[in-house]
Amino acid sequence: MLNLNEVVIDRIQTAKRIRDLMEENSLSVNDLMQMLYLGRRDSVYKWLRGEQLPSLDQLYALSQIFHTGIEDILVWEEIADD
């Protein structure tokens, strides 16, 4: 059973997943910016570099755009017990 105290979102792998989903759906950074009503591309670029994660609202919108669940966008990393 998954212990939520022992997992974190892997930002780098989540960034790769978003990039892959964009490619699979033939979407550019500009496309996402417009679809999500973002004023600037910086947010999307930060997601793609793993510097920042989309907000919950943005993750929901991305799941609709990519025709997948939020759980299929986020990549989890288990933290090893010391």
Side-chain angles (χ1 to χ4, degrees), residues 25-62:
N25 289 275
S26 301
L27 295 171
S28 69
V29 170
N30 283 335
D31 293 333
L32 282 187
M33 184 188 82
Q34 291 174 356
M35 294 170 102
L36 296 171
Y37 302 103
L38 299 172
R40 301 171 66 195
R41 290 178 278 234
D42 292 354
S43 294
V44 179
Y45 284 121
K46 287 180 181 179
W47 304 340
L48 297 177
R49 288 191 301 263
E51 294 175 7
Q52 188 176 356
L53 292 169
S55 69
L56 184 56
D57 293 344
Q58 292 164 338
L59 280 168
Y60 177 76
L62 288 170

Side-chain angles (χ1 to χ4, degrees), residues 2-14 74-80:
L2 183 65
N3 181 346
L4 295 180
N5 293 325
E6 297 173 358
V7 296
V8 295
I9 297 171
D10 185 325
R11 289 181 180 205
I12 300 301
Q13 292 303 312
T14 296
L74 299 173
V75 178
W76 296 90
E77 174 185 359
E78 288 193 47
I79 299 173

